[in-house]
C-alpha cells in the first residue's frame, strides 16, 4: 500500500553542501523562496490568433481545451488567460462583420500575423465562451494602428466586450500592449518622440476612464466597485530594447518604469496587477540553444533584470509576467520549439516563482516558434502539441494544486566553488512548510540529431548520465516516486513524455495518455539516508516526497525496478554530485 509520508524536514532546515567539483556549503539563507499564485502557469494568446486557439460556439477548439484542462487539473484552478499582444493594438471593431476576425498580412511588418486593416466582429467574443470556467482579459487597442476611428472603436469594443464576454468570464482589463514600443517601430511607429512617461500615462488614464464609463453604462454588473480593474503597465523589459534592432535606432525612446508609475498610473486605484512582459533575448540573436536557453546563468541574468526593475518601481502589487516566453519575435526555430526550450520553461518559471513572481502567462500564437501548441493546421505548421508544452506541464505538476493550500518554491543554487553553474539546476517545493518535491534539471545540451549522424557512436553511450546525490532525512527503505521529463535530446521536437504521459494531438486530441512503450512507475529507494538519482544530459526529474512508499509496506507487486536500468547504464561522466542534508 502506498501511503502519505510526512517528511520531518522544515523549511529552513535544508542545508546543502557540495562534494567533488562542488565544495561550497550553502546555508538556508541562500534559498530564495516565493509563493506562486493559484493558476501560476497560464497563457497569453496572441490577439489575432485567439479565434484559432478557442474556436467558436458551433466549432469550439477541443484540442486547445484539453491541453488547458491538463494544466488546470494539475494546478487545481482553471486559469486566467490574457488575450493580447502586438495585434491587440491593430484592430478596430466592426459590429457588422460576419467573421470573428479579418486582416491583411503585410510582410514588411510581420509574416506571423495580419497587421493591416484588421477588424473583429461580434463573433470574436464567442471564443471566450468555448472554455467555461476560465477567465480572461480582452486586449483593448491603445496604439490605434493609425486608424482614424480608433477612439470610437475603443468605446464600441468596450461595450461589446462587457456585454458579450460577461462579468463572470472577465478577470481584468488591459489597455495597450508594450506601449514602450509605440514610438520605436520605424515607419510603423504609432506615436512620436513626445510619447514619454507623462504622455503615455495621460493617454492611459484618459482611455481607461472612458472605457470604465462605457462599461458602467452598458454592464451595470461591472459598474463602480464591481469593475474588475486593470492590468498595467504591460511594458516590455527594457533590456530587450537594447538588442540590435532597437539599438541601431539613435532616436529610440526608453520609458522608465519607475517614472511611469510615479506619473500616476495608479491614480484611478483600479490597477489590480502589475504586469510586465519579458523575453530573455530576441530571435535576431545572437542566440543559441546551449548558450541562451540551456543556460541557467543566462536565464537568471534576464529574470533578475526584470525583478530589479520591479523592485525599483516599489509597488505593493504582485509582479506578473503578463506576456512571457523564450526569445522575442515569436521565438527562433531550432531553439524555441525544442525540448531544450521545455527545460528552459521549467527553469525560468520555477525561478520566477521562487523570486515571488505571482503568475506567468506563457505567450503563444498560431505558427509561433515558441508556441506550446499549434491550434489549427496551417501551411506553415502542423496542428499539434509542441515541445514547450511538456515543460509547462512539468511546472504545473511540480507546483501542484495550490488553489487552497499554499506551496512555496525555493531555488537551490548549485554553484561550483562560487562560480555560476549554468547546467545543474535544482528547486524544492514546500507544502505547508514541508519539503514535498524536488525538481532537478540537467541542462547540458544533448544533440540527438548530431549523435544520430555519427554512425560510429552508440546513441546511449554518447549521452552522458550525471548522478545527483541527495542526503535526505527519510527512513531507509523509503521509495521516492520519480517522474521524468524526457526526449531523445535537447533538439527533439517530438517524442516527448512527462512521467510516461503523452499529450499529443495525434494520440488523443491532447488528453493525457499513458504510453505503454515508456518506462513509468519508477521509484528510488533511500539507503543510508541517501538518494542517488541519475539524469541524462537534457532531462528533468521530479522527486515526489509526498507520495512515497516503503518497500516493506507495499502490497502491489514491485514495479519494474527501472532505477536499476539507469544504474547499469555506462556512466560516461559522473558529475553534478549534490548533497542535501537536514540539520
Ligand atoms: C485542488 O485542491 C483542492 C483543495 O484540496 C480540492 O478541493 C480540489 O478538488 C483540487 N483540485 C483538483 C483539480 O484536483
Ligand atoms: C464591416 O463589415 C462589413 C461586412 O463584412 C463590411 O461590409 C463593412 O464594409 C465593414 N465596415 C467597415 C467600416 O469596414
Ligand atoms: C465558427 O468556426 C467555424 C470553423 O472555423 C467557421 O466555419 C464559422 O464560420 C465560425 N462561425 C462564426 C460565426 O464565426
Ligand atoms: C513593403 O516594402 C517594399 C519596399 O520598401 C515596398 O515597395 C512595399 O510597398 C511595401 N509593402 C507594403 C504592403 O507596405
Ligand atoms: C481623451 O482622448 C480622446 C481621444 O483622443 C480625446 O478626444 C479627449 O479629448 C481626451 N480627453 C482628455 C481629457 O484628454
Ligand atoms: C528610472 O528613473 C529613476 C528616477 O525616477 C531612476 O532612479 C532610475 O535609475 C531610472 N531607472 C532606469 C532603469 O533607468
Ligand atoms: C493603488 O492605489 C490604491 C488605492 O489608493 C492603493 O491601495 C494601492 O496600494 C496602490 N497600489 C500601488 C501599487 O501603488
Ligand atoms: C551562459 O550565459 C552567461 C551569461 O550570459 C555567459 O557568460 C556564458 O558564456 C553562457 N554560457 C555558454 C555556454 O554560452
Ligand atoms: C544538432 O546537430 C545537427 C547535426 O549536426 C546540427 O545541424 C544542429 O544545428 C544541431 N543543433 C543545435 C541546436 O546545435
Ligand atoms: C563520434 O562518436 C565517437 C564515439 O563516441 C566520438 O569519439 C567521435 O568524436 C564522434 N564524432 C563526432 C564528429 O562527434
Ligand atoms: C510510443 O508510442 C507512441 C504512441 O503510440 C508512438 O508515437 C511512439 O513512436 C512510440 N515510441 C517508441 C519509441 O516506440
Ligand atoms: C552510510 O553513511 C556513512 C556516513 O557517510 C558511511 O560511513 C557508511 O559507510 C555508509 N554505509 C553504507 C552501507 O553505505
Amino acid at each position: 500500500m502506498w501511503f502519505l509520508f510526512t517528511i520531518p524536514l522544515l523549511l529552513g532546515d535544508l542545508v546543502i553542501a557540495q562534494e567533488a567539483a562542488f565544495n561550497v556549503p550553502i546555508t538556508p539563507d541562500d534559498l530564495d523562496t516565493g509563493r506562486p499564485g493559484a493558476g501560476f502557469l497560464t497563457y497569453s494568446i496572441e490577439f489575432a490568433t485567439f479565434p484559432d486557439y478557442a474556436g467558436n460556439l458551433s466549432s469550439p477548439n477541443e484540442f486547445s481545451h484539453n491541453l488547458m484542462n491538463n494544466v488546470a487539473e494539475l494546478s487545481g484552478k482553471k486559469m486566467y488567460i490574457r488575450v493580447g499582444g502586438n495585434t491587440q493594438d491593430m484592430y478596430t471593431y466592426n459590429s457588422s462583420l460576419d467573421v470573428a476576425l479579418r486582416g491583411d498580412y503585410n510582410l514588411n511588418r510581420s509574416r506571423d500575423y495580419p497587421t493591416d486593416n484588421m477588424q473583429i466582429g461580434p463573433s470574436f467574443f464567442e471564443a471566450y465562451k468555448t472554455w467555461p470556467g476560465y477567465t480572461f482579459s480582452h486586449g483593448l487597442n491603445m496604439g490605434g494602428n493609425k486608424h482614424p476611428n480608433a477612439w470610437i472603436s475603443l468605446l464600441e469594443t468596450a461595450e461589446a466586450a462587457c456585454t458579450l464576454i460577461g462579468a463572470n468570464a472577465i478577470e481584468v482589463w488591459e489597455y495597450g500592449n508594450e506601449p514602450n514600443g509605440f514610438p520605436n517601430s520605424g515607419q510603423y511607429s504609432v506615436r512620436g518622440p513626445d510619447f514619454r512617461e507623462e504622455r503615455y500615462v495621460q493617454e492611459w488614464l484618459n482611455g481607461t476612464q472612458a472605457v470604465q464609463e462605457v462599461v458602467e453604462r452598458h454592464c451595470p454588473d461591472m459598474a463602480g466597485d464591481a469593475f474588475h480593474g486593470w492590468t498595467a503597465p504591460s511594458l516590455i523589459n527594457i533590456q530587450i530594447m537594447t538588442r540590435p534592432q532597437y539599438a541601431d535606432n539613435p532616436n529610440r525612446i526608453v520609458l522608465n518604469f519607475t517614472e511611469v508609475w510615479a506619473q500616476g498610473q495608479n491614480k484611478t486605484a483600479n490597477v489590480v496587477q502589475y504586469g510586465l512582459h519579458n523575453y530573455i533575448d530576441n530571435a535576431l540573436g545572437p542566440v543559441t540553444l546551449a548558450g541562451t536557453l540551456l543556460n541557467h546563468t543566462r536565464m537568471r541574468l534576464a529574470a533578475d533584470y526584470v525583478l530589479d526593475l520591479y523592485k525599483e518601481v516599489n509597488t505593493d502589487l504582485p509582479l506578473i509576467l503578463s506576456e512571457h516566453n523564450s526569445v522575442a519575435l515569436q521565438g527562433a526555430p531550432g531553439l524555441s520549439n525544442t525540448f531544450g526550450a521545455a527545460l528552459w520553461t521549467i527553469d525560468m518559471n520555477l525561478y520566477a516563482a521562487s523570486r515571488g513572481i505571482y503568475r506567468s502567462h506563457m505567450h503563444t500564437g498560431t505558427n509561433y516558434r515558441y508556441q506550446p501548441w499549434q491550434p489549427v493546421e496551417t501551411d506553415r505548421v502542423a496542428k499539434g502539441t509542441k515541445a514547450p508544452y511538456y515543460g509547462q506541464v512539468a511546472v504545473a505538476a511540480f507546483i501542484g494544486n495550490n488553489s487552497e493550500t499554499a506551496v512555496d518554491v525555493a531555488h537551490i543554487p548549485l554553484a561550483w566553488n562560487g562560480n555560476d553553474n549554468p547546467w545543474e539546476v535544482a528547486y524544492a517545493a514546500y507544502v505547508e512548510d514541508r519539503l514535498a518535491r524536488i525538481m532537478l534539471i540537467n541542462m547540458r545540451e544533448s544533440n540527438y540529431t548530431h549523435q544520430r549522424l555519427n554512425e560510429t557512436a552508440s546513441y546511449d553511450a554518447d549521452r552522458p548520465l550525471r548522478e545527483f546525490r541527495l542526503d535526505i532525512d527519510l527512513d531507509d527503505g523509503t521509495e521516492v516516486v520519480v517522474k521524468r521529463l524526457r526526449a531523445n535530446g535537447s533538439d527533439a521536437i517530438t517524442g516527448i513524455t512527462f512521467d510516461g504521459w503523452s499529450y499529443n494531438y495525434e494520440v488523443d486530441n491532447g488528453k493525457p495518455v499513458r504510453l505503454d512503450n515508456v518506462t513509468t512507475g519508477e521509484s528510488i529507494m533511500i539507503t543510508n539516508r541517501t538518494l542517488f538519482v541519475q539524469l541524462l544530459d537534457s532531462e528533468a526529474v521530479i522527486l515526489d516526497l509526498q507520495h512515497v512508499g516503503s518497500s516493506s509496506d507495499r502490497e502491489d507487486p514491485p514495479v519494474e525496478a527501472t532505477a536499476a536500468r539507469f544504474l547499469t547504464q555506462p556512466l560516461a561522466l559522473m558529475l553534478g554530485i549534490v548533497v542535501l542534508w537536514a540539520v
Side-chain angles (χ1 to χ4, degrees):
M1 196 183 77
W2 295 96
F3 66 101
L4 195 73
F5 196 92
T6 50
I7 316 299
L9 192 67
L10 299 176
L11 179 60
D13 283 352
L14 187 65
V15 177
I16 299 149
Q18 297 165 342
E19 277 184 357
F22 301 77
N23 230 341
V24 186
I26 293 163
T27 70
D29 293 342
D30 294 324
L31 297 185
D32 295 319
T33 61
R35 182 169 289 183
F40 170 81
L41 190 295
T42 183
Y43 296 101
S44 160
I45 300 179
E46 183 64 51
F47 188 90
T49 68
F50 183 51
D52 291 345
Y53 273 85
N56 57 39
L57 283 175
S58 45
S59 183
N61 192 318
E62 287 303 336
F63 171 52
S64 293
H65 198 191
N66 290 338
L67 293 175
M68 306 258 300
N69 286 342
N70 297 334
V71 174
E73 189 64 30
L74 290 165
S75 65
K77 183 178 165 49
K78 292 196 171 177
M79 299 85 78
Y80 145 50
I81 290 142
R82 173 211 187 221
V83 177
N86 289 348
T87 52
Q88 108 181 44
D89 285 303
M90 293 171 179
Y91 71 92
T92 53
Y93 182 66
N94 176 351
S95 62
S96 23
L97 191 69
D98 49 7
V99 292
L101 178 140
R102 53 151 301 221
D104 300 330
Y105 279 77
N106 172 351
L107 300 185
N108 293 353
R109 291 181 78 174
S110 176
R111 67 187 290 258
D112 289 318
Y113 43 69
T115 55
D116 296 358
N117 309 312
M118 195 191 302
Q119 298 188 345
I120 62 166
S123 71
F124 183 92
F125 296 95
E126 267 189 30
Y128 292 103
K129 305 226 179 258
T130 61
W131 298 334
Y134 292 87
T135 61
F136 302 90
S137 58
H138 172 90
L140 296 167
N141 181 348
M142 178 180 194
N145 207 12
K146 299 182 176 165
H147 199 288
N149 285 337
W151 180 257
I152 302 296
S153 168
L154 169 70
L155 305 181
E156 289 174 354
T157 309
E159 178 185 344
C162 84
T163 54
L164 298 175
I165 302 175
N168 289 341
I170 292 177
E171 177 82 22
V172 287
W173 297 80
E174 184 187 45
Y175 183 45
N177 172 76
E178 299 171 10
N180 44 348
F182 289 177
N184 293 316
S185 308
Q187 67 176 121
Y188 301 111
S189 289
V190 292
R191 294 292 188 279
D194 61 337
F195 194 74
R196 310 295 309 224
E197 293 83 356
E198 187 180 359
R199 177 72 192 280
Y200 160 52
V201 173
Q202 218 171 42
E203 277 194 36
W204 188 88
L205 290 171
N206 182 24
T208 55
Q209 191 54 42
V211 166
Q212 280 184 232
E213 281 161 20
V214 169
V215 171
E216 188 125 7
R217 209 169 326 125
H218 296 281
C219 299
D221 58 345
M222 281 184 266
D225 289 346
F227 187 78
H228 292 61
W230 296 90
T231 177
S234 310
L235 296 168
I236 188 161
N237 181 346
I238 301 164
Q239 204 179 30
I240 284 296
M241 297 179 65
T242 65
R243 298 281 173 243
Q245 89 267 36
Y246 295 113
D248 287 350
N249 171 7
N251 303 317
R252 179 168 50 105
I253 312 291
V254 177
L255 298 189
N256 176 309
F257 295 11
T258 307
E259 282 176 22
V260 164
W261 203 244
Q263 283 292 331
Q265 196 163 40
N266 191 25
K267 260 183 196 156
T268 63
N270 256 335
V271 177
V272 293
Q273 62 181 42
Y274 190 80
L276 294 180
H277 295 186
N278 194 50
Y279 292 89
I280 119 169
D281 211 313
N282 86 43
L284 298 184
V287 285
T288 62
L289 189 55
T292 311
L293 297 190
L294 289 171
N295 183 342
H296 182 65
T297 310
R298 179 73 193 86
M299 180 283 291
R300 285 188 65 181
L301 276 181
D304 288 343
Y305 186 85
V306 82
L307 282 156
D308 287 347
L309 287 175
Y310 166 71
K311 216 180 297 167
E312 186 187 292
V313 169
N314 195 23
T315 166
D316 54 10
L317 293 172
L319 174 60
I320 280 152
L321 298 178
S322 47
E323 182 190 306
H324 169 218
N325 217 314
S326 55
V327 298
L329 303 173
Q330 296 78 250
L335 264 79
S336 304
N337 58 338
T338 64
F339 184 65
L343 297 176
W344 170 83
T345 296
I346 301 176
D347 192 25
M348 174 76 204
N349 282 290
L350 293 186
Y351 185 70
S354 79
R355 297 293 312 274
I357 290 179
Y358 189 73
R359 194 168 53 234
S360 168
H361 293 260
M362 301 303 293
H363 194 52
T364 185
T366 305
N367 297 337
Y368 284 16
R369 273 66 69 200
Y370 52 54
Q371 60 177 192
W373 71 92
Q374 168 82 348
V376 292
E377 193 74 30
T378 69
D379 54 7
R380 287 176 59 192
V381 182
K383 180 174 179 177
T385 311
K386 307 298 176 184
Y389 180 75
Y390 284 85
Q392 296 166 2
V393 162
V395 170
F398 181 71
I399 294 174
N401 180 347
N402 65 344
S403 65
E404 283 166 37
T405 309
V407 174
D408 294 296
V409 174
H411 169 239
I412 301 174
L414 302 178
W416 280 352
N417 299 321
N419 296 319
D420 280 335
N421 176 356
W423 297 304
E424 279 88 22
V425 177
Y427 294 92
Y430 296 87
V431 179
E432 293 177 319
D433 286 349
R434 288 178 189 281
L435 183 60
R437 288 174 284 280
I438 293 170
M439 172 77 80
L440 301 174
I441 318 174
N442 178 351
M443 306 263 284
R444 286 165 197 271
E445 181 177 42
S446 170
N447 185 331
Y448 171 64
T449 311
H450 184 75
Q451 287 176 12
R452 219 181 24 184
L453 291 175
N454 182 350
E455 286 174 4
T456 65
S458 120
Y459 164 64
D460 262 2
D462 239 15
R463 191 173 177 191
L465 273 167
R466 321 259 168 187
E467 181 159 78
F468 289 66
R469 180 181 131 193
L470 289 79
D471 282 2
I472 211 157
D473 202 4
L474 284 176
D475 289 337
D476 285 4
T478 304
E479 295 198 7
V480 171
V481 174
V482 178
K483 297 173 180 173
R484 291 181 188 271
L485 180 69
R486 316 198 89 164
N488 279 337
S490 48
D491 58 328
I493 54 172
T494 59
I496 299 154
T497 53
F498 172 64
D499 192 28
W501 295 98
S502 172
Y503 303 94
N504 278 4
Y505 171 61
E506 62 278 11
V507 175
D508 189 15
N509 201 22
K511 289 185 185 153
V513 174
R514 205 76 184 259
L515 298 185
D516 51 18
N517 59 6
V518 179
T519 315
T520 55
E522 183 188 346
S523 60
I524 295 179
M525 198 185 293
I526 307 271
T527 44
N528 209 11
R529 309 244 155 193
T530 302
L531 182 156
F532 288 97
V533 58
Q534 298 176 340
L535 275 77
L536 289 164
D537 280 2
S538 299
E539 181 175 26
V541 67
I542 294 177
L543 303 172
D544 186 344
L545 310 181
Q546 236 183 353
H547 301 99
V548 295
S550 153
S551 50
S552 55
D553 286 333
R554 283 258 302 274
E555 281 165 2
D556 19 1
V559 267
E560 197 194 329
T562 50
R565 190 170 83 79
F566 298 119
L567 287 168
T568 56
Q569 252 175 358
L571 292 188
L573 272 163
M574 283 260 294
L575 270 182
I577 298 183
V578 177
V579 186
L580 307 172
W581 73 80
V583 289

